[in-house]
Amino acid sequence: MPLLKRKSFSLVEPPQDLEPHELVYQVRFTKEIFRNYHEYLNRVNLYRNRVWMCKSTGKTNLTYEEALVSEKHAVEKLQELPKELVAPALRIIQFSMLSLKDLADTIATNLEERLYVGSEYYGRKDSGVHLCKILKVVKADNKITKYEVAWLDKNKKTMENGLLDGENLVKKKLPFSRNILKSFIRQSTYRSFPWVLHEKLARKHDISIDPPQELRSKIFFQNGLVVCKKRKKNEEEMKEESGKCKCNKVGSDKLEDDDHQREEPIKYPVDDLLVQPSADDPVFSDRPLPSRDFSVPMECVGDLLMVWDFCTSFSRTLHLWPFSLEDFENVVCHKESNLALIVESHSALLRLLIKDNRKRFWHMKNKKRKITLVNWAEYLCDFLEIIKIPELCSNMTTIKRGHYGLLDANIKLRILKELVNQAFESDVFRDKIDEHINQRRALGATRREEALEAARKEREAKEQLKIQNGHTSESAKSNMHESSENNYSGENGEIAEKSIAEIIASQPKNLLENKHSDASKKMAERQNVDVEVQEVNGKQLSGKELLKQMGDDKKEATEPRSKDQRREYFERQMDKQVIRTNPLGKDRHYNRYWWFRRDGRIFVESSDSKQWGYYSSKEELDALMGSLNCKGERERALHKQLGKFYAKMSSEFEKRSKSFVGKIASEEAVLRRSTRVRATPGVNPANAFLRYVNKWKQD
């Protein structure tokens, strides 16, 4: 069992008077049962703290469950220790006063010298060294021990048997590490210094449990366990401690009563279903009901989203012009057979399968005809014959007659789903995924390099600023010193008069130069001509060079904004290299929330995947975020993801609402068209899926 503060930790006993139908709280990995919720939650929080230690390996800073797993793995590794070496190792451990490391080294050194049946060594044979395995120990009359060995080949198969003495066997490294020996020592003992074996284990291997003579004065037995004798304290120290105890007894009793009265605070986040309402909770808004006005049956919405997301995410690979989810939903429910969107989506997936090198699609590849509007149904029937799904194959007659549109929506989506599943397994798709992964890694490396470079420049700028501040302080001190000297020399007469005269003479010249330079700057900025300007670092700059320098200054001034733009650029590039679409998160009832980049809606999937809905407005998004309780683990993570994409979602909702208003206005304009006016009718946006054209189609 895991140790707490290097001491054994006892589990809570189950209540004795439990009724069969009583509701209780149970810890999953310890099977402890609690009636009180706060007691259960405090125990779970204790198990989640990294204060536990693995008894077998000595690893610290673990949770209780991690320590259990570590102990389980250690026990499995202990099986690697040969049974023939267990008893000799235990005899070395019993009542040893060595440290753990020294004891493990001693056992390893001792076991390396032991030859036992079943161990593998290198034996000398025919002036060479070959691998062999000891089969039997043979003792001759002259008390020389010999070993019957089996010579092994590279595959460790027996070639022949032989007889060798111990001198012709070369030592081989032990088949286990010293860490395994340390785990074996901890597992076999119940105390250290001296190390004492468990009584059952010692009796099993006929090892004495009586302490040696040199330790009998230092240890004694209490309740069947070895205990070290403690040094007796002086009477004076005992009296002082007893006096202190009497003084502090009343205060300690009060503290203990206060500790019992106080309840340990709950550390959040915890599992969402365990969160109970409290007085410090904010006011949560009511969670909005998602819309469920889908054209396809509810059980088919998941397949609809999966097929649409695949076709739009990998549209370049499929050579398929992207289309909206609404158009795809409408075309699946439409009863016309040869709609362009239906034909092109099926044809693109079939072309991808034909390019693949799998044998099952060679029949389709051998036709050597292009997939067209006329023969696409024939290729689709060949695909259905290959996958051999009875529910889908029963519709082949309808497809061959050219009545694909008459199939139910769930059958159409099942066929498309099978096409997508086969496309997932194709070599072309796998190569594309590998390419996207490599590009994402390259983008990540570039982003890290830019961040490191920016940090380096920032450090250099700070160092340069420190150096400049140091120079300015030194120059200020020197100027103050020179001015004091000039003032002192002014008192003597001639030197002061000369310096003052020089200063006065130089002032008009400096003022004139400054005015001239200011005027030239203004003229250059107004006329934008190529003129000569003042000296900069000892060189004359032309107007073009000045404009370039001004551009660099402007670039430096907008550097923070460019960093944000660069970050947004990297995010856009990462979105382009799509690998898979992951849900935003889950709420307390395990409902999943999905956000697709090409559709301005948040989709909600029930925990059993049987119900779907969506949110399509900013008000619903705000209400959803306001209803999440961040004390729960799942809703906390979901709230974080929604906050991360909040700006993007809000803009997509706004675009969607504007397009929806424009769509309604255009539909009303079509309906209000006068019959007496012979003008061309407006295009109804509801029928946009009928006008689909694949602009990326391969010839």
Side-chain angles (χ1 to χ4, degrees):
M1 295 295 290
L3 304 178
L4 179 63
K5 296 180 180 180
R6 298 184 178 274
K7 295 181 180 179
S8 58
F9 182 80
S10 57
L11 301 179
V12 176
E13 294 292 333
Q16 299 296 330
D17 54 345
L18 274 179
E19 297 181 2
H21 301 290
E22 185 177 355
L23 295 177
V24 294
Y25 302 94
Q26 185 181 39
V27 181
R28 173 174 49 84
F29 40 84
T30 62
K31 307 304 180 185
E32 293 174 291
I33 295 175
F34 296 87
R35 283 173 168 162
N36 185 279
Y37 171 73
H38 286 284
E39 291 179 1
Y40 162 76
L41 203 55
N42 290 332
R43 182 56 64 98
V44 170
N45 286 333
L46 176 62
Y47 288 150
R48 288 181 176 177
N49 290 336
R50 293 191 172 276
V51 295
W52 299 91
M53 173 182 175
C54 175
K55 184 179 179 181
S56 301
T57 62
K59 292 181 181 179
T60 57
N61 197 27
L62 302 175
T63 64
Y64 189 91
E65 195 169 5
E66 289 173 349
L68 281 177
V69 174
S70 178
E71 288 183 1
K72 181 181 177 182
H73 291 168
V75 171
E76 292 174 355
K77 287 184 178 180
L78 287 179
Q79 305 303 322
E80 300 176 8
L81 194 68
K83 295 180 180 179
E84 293 81 3
L85 301 181
V86 171
L90 292 176
R91 289 189 177 89
I92 298 172
I93 294 170
Q94 182 73 312
F95 295 112
S96 174
M97 294 294 289
L98 297 174
S99 65
L100 181 62
K101 180 179 180 301
D102 294 339
L103 183 57
D105 292 339
T106 303
I107 295 172
T109 304
N110 187 279
L111 296 184
E112 282 178 353
E113 299 174 356
R114 290 181 175 271
L115 302 176
Y116 57 92
V117 176
S119 60
E120 294 182 359
Y121 289 88
Y122 289 103
R124 294 185 178 92
K125 176 187 175 185
D126 300 333
S127 66
V129 178
H130 304 277
L131 185 65
C132 63
K133 183 178 181 180
I134 297 178
L135 300 177
K136 187 178 180 182
V137 180
V138 180
K139 291 185 179 180
D141 297 336
N142 53 1
K143 297 183 180 180
I144 298 176
T145 304
K146 292 192 176 184
Y147 302 91
E148 183 180 351
V149 298
W151 299 102
L152 307 177
D153 58 4
K154 293 181 180 180
N155 298 324
K156 294 189 177 182
K157 293 183 179 180
T158 304
M159 297 186 296
E160 58 178 340
N161 295 348
L163 198 65
L164 291 176
D165 54 12
E167 296 178 354
N168 291 323
L169 288 172
V170 181
K171 294 179 181 179
K172 191 181 177 184
K173 188 178 179 181
L174 289 172
F176 47 85
S177 65
R178 278 169 170 73
N179 288 332
I180 294 178
L181 281 177
K182 291 178 182 179
S183 300
F184 174 73
I185 295 169
R186 291 193 186 97
Q187 199 77 18
S188 305
T189 58
Y190 64 85
R191 64 156 297 128
S192 58
F193 304 109
W195 298 92
V196 184
L197 299 175
H198 296 291
E199 186 176 355
K200 290 183 179 179
L201 186 64
R203 294 187 185 280
K204 179 181 177 181
H205 294 278
D206 296 329
I207 300 174
S208 174
I209 59 174
D210 296 328
Q213 189 68 32
E214 61 270 15
L215 292 179
R216 289 180 181 176
S217 60
K218 299 179 182 179
I219 62 175
F220 66 95
F221 285 90
Q222 183 178 1
N223 297 328
L225 301 176
V226 173
V227 181
C228 289
K229 290 182 179 179
K230 297 181 180 179
R231 295 180 180 179
K232 293 183 179 180
K233 298 182 179 180
N234 296 329
E235 294 180 0
E236 295 178 358
E237 293 177 355
M238 292 291 290
K239 289 179 181 179
E240 290 177 2
E241 288 183 0
S242 62
K244 290 179 181 178
C245 290
K246 288 179 181 178
C247 295
N248 297 330
K249 187 175 182 180
V250 178
S252 62
D253 291 340
K254 290 181 179 179
L255 288 174
E256 286 179 1
D257 293 339
D258 293 340
D259 290 339
H260 284 299
Q261 290 176 1
R262 293 177 186 174
E263 291 183 353
E264 294 184 11
I266 300 172
K267 294 182 179 179
Y268 295 104
V270 296
D271 188 86
D272 297 71
L273 297 177
L274 300 178
V275 176
Q276 299 290 339
S278 59
D280 60 341
D281 285 342
V283 179
F284 296 110
S285 60
D286 294 332
R287 187 162 302 177
L289 293 175
S291 304
R292 304 188 187 275
D293 52 342
F294 297 105
S295 301
V296 298
M298 185 62 70
E299 64 272 10
C300 301
V301 176
D303 294 341
L304 177 80
L305 291 171
M306 187 270 285
V307 174
W308 171 79
D309 184 52
F310 177 83
C311 292
T312 52
S313 299
F314 300 97
S315 54
R316 287 284 185 183
T317 306
L318 296 172
H319 300 282
L320 184 66
W321 183 258
F323 45 87
S324 67
L325 178 59
E326 292 175 347
D327 289 348
F328 185 57
E329 187 177 6
N330 290 331
V331 81
V332 167
C333 297
H334 204 269
K335 295 302 180 181
E336 191 174 338
S337 297
N338 289 330
L339 293 176
L341 183 52
I342 284 288
V343 175
E344 293 297 335
S345 57
H346 285 78
S347 301
L349 292 168
L350 289 169
R351 289 191 194 99
L352 184 68
L353 296 179
I354 290 173
K355 289 180 183 178
D356 195 22
N357 295 322
R358 284 180 290 177
K359 292 182 179 180
R360 62 185 309 183
F361 298 117
W362 281 2
H363 173 67
M364 296 167 59
K365 195 172 184 178
N366 291 334
K367 288 189 174 184
K368 296 181 180 180
R369 288 188 299 168
K370 292 182 179 179
I371 301 177
T372 61
L373 181 65
V374 178
N375 63 2
W376 74 275
E378 180 183 346
Y379 278 91
L380 182 59
C381 291
D382 292 340
F383 170 77
L384 295 178
E385 287 180 355
I386 292 170
I387 61 175
K388 295 179 180 179
I389 297 178
E391 186 180 355
L392 301 181
C393 291
S394 61
N395 299 281
M396 287 174 56
T397 306
T398 306
I399 297 173
K400 287 180 180 179
R401 290 176 180 174
H403 301 304
Y404 176 87
L406 299 179
L407 299 177
D408 294 335
N410 58 343
I411 297 297
K412 294 178 183 178
L413 289 171
R414 280 287 306 278
I415 294 172
L416 285 167
K417 180 183 176 182
E418 292 300 326
L419 283 168
V420 169
N421 289 338
Q422 294 297 329
F424 272 128
E425 300 176 5
S426 65
D427 294 335
V428 178
F429 180 75
R430 291 179 182 274
D431 294 341
K432 193 65 179 178
I433 288 293
D434 292 340
E435 180 184 344
H436 284 196
I437 291 172
N438 293 332
Q439 289 174 354
R440 288 175 71 92
R441 288 176 178 172
L443 283 170
T446 306
R447 191 172 184 176
R448 287 191 295 272
E449 289 175 1
E450 289 189 1
L452 292 173
E453 183 68 19
R456 184 184 64 80
K457 288 181 179 179
E458 188 176 354
R459 287 195 301 270
E460 291 178 354
K462 288 181 180 179
E463 292 174 359
Q464 190 69 22
L465 186 62
K466 288 181 181 179
I467 294 171
Q468 290 177 359
N469 291 336
H471 284 313
T472 53
S473 60
E474 290 177 2
S475 61
K477 289 179 181 179
S478 62
N479 290 336
M480 290 175 63
H481 182 66
E482 289 176 1
S483 63
S484 63
E485 288 181 351
N486 290 335
N487 292 334
Y488 177 74
S489 62
E491 294 176 358
N492 294 331
E494 294 181 358
I495 300 175
E497 290 176 359
K498 185 178 179 181
S499 61
I500 292 169
E502 288 176 356
I503 293 170
I504 294 171
S506 63
Q507 280 181 355
K509 185 178 179 182
N510 292 335
L511 289 171
L512 184 62
E513 288 177 357
N514 290 335
K515 288 180 181 179
H516 178 69
S517 63
D518 292 336
S520 63
K521 282 182 182 178
K522 290 179 180 178
M523 291 294 292
E525 289 175 0
R526 289 177 183 174
Q527 298 178 5
N528 292 326
V529 294
D530 192 6
V531 295
E532 294 295 321
V533 295
Q534 61 180 355
E535 269 192 349
V536 180
N537 296 328
K539 294 182 180 180
Q540 294 289 335
L541 296 178
S542 64
K544 291 182 179 179
E545 293 173 344
L546 179 62
L547 289 173
K548 184 179 179 182
Q549 186 178 4
M550 290 171 64
D552 294 338
D553 295 339
K554 186 177 180 181
K555 185 177 179 181
E556 291 177 1
T558 60
E559 188 174 358
R561 187 173 62 185
S562 64
K563 284 182 180 178
D564 294 338
Q565 292 174 353
R566 192 68 178 162
R567 178 176 54 80
E568 292 175 0
Y569 166 75
F570 276 118
E571 289 178 356
R572 288 196 302 270
Q573 293 300 317
M574 282 288 191
D575 290 341
K576 290 179 182 178
Q577 309 304 327
V578 63
I579 298 174
R580 60 175 297 176
T581 303
N582 294 316
L584 293 170
K586 302 176 183 178
D587 60 15
R588 64 177 298 166
H589 299 296
Y590 295 94
N591 297 320
R592 287 177 287 272
Y593 291 77
W594 298 83
W595 167 258
F596 298 98
R597 296 181 298 116
R598 296 172 182 83
D599 187 85
R601 287 179 285 183
I602 299 174
F603 288 87
V604 187
E605 178 188 8
S606 63
S607 57
D608 56 359
S609 302
K610 293 182 179 180
Q611 293 291 325
W612 286 83
Y614 65 86
Y615 299 122
S616 58
S617 67
K618 185 175 179 295
E619 292 75 15
E620 290 177 324
L621 174 60
D622 294 335
L624 172 63
M625 294 182 68
S627 67
L628 298 175
N629 192 341
C630 292
K631 289 183 178 180
E633 294 173 342
R634 292 186 294 277
E635 293 197 352
R636 186 189 187 96
L638 177 59
H639 190 277
K640 183 179 179 181
Q641 286 295 104
L642 290 173
K644 180 180 178 181
F645 296 104
Y646 181 80
K648 189 179 293 185
M649 290 177 179
S650 300
S651 62
E652 289 294 331
F653 287 152
E654 187 177 354
K655 290 179 185 176
R656 183 177 178 83
S657 62
K658 288 181 180 178
S659 64
F660 184 70
V661 171
K663 182 178 178 181
I664 293 175
S666 60
E667 288 179 355
E668 290 178 353
V670 172
L671 293 173
R672 287 198 304 265
R673 185 173 59 86
S674 175
T675 56
R676 290 185 293 174
V677 179
R678 295 296 180 181
T680 57
V683 178
N684 190 349
N687 296 327
F689 67 95
L690 299 174
R691 300 184 297 274
Y692 173 81
V693 177
N694 187 7
K695 299 179 182 179
W696 290 345
K697 184 178 180 179
Q698 282 184 319
D699 295 332

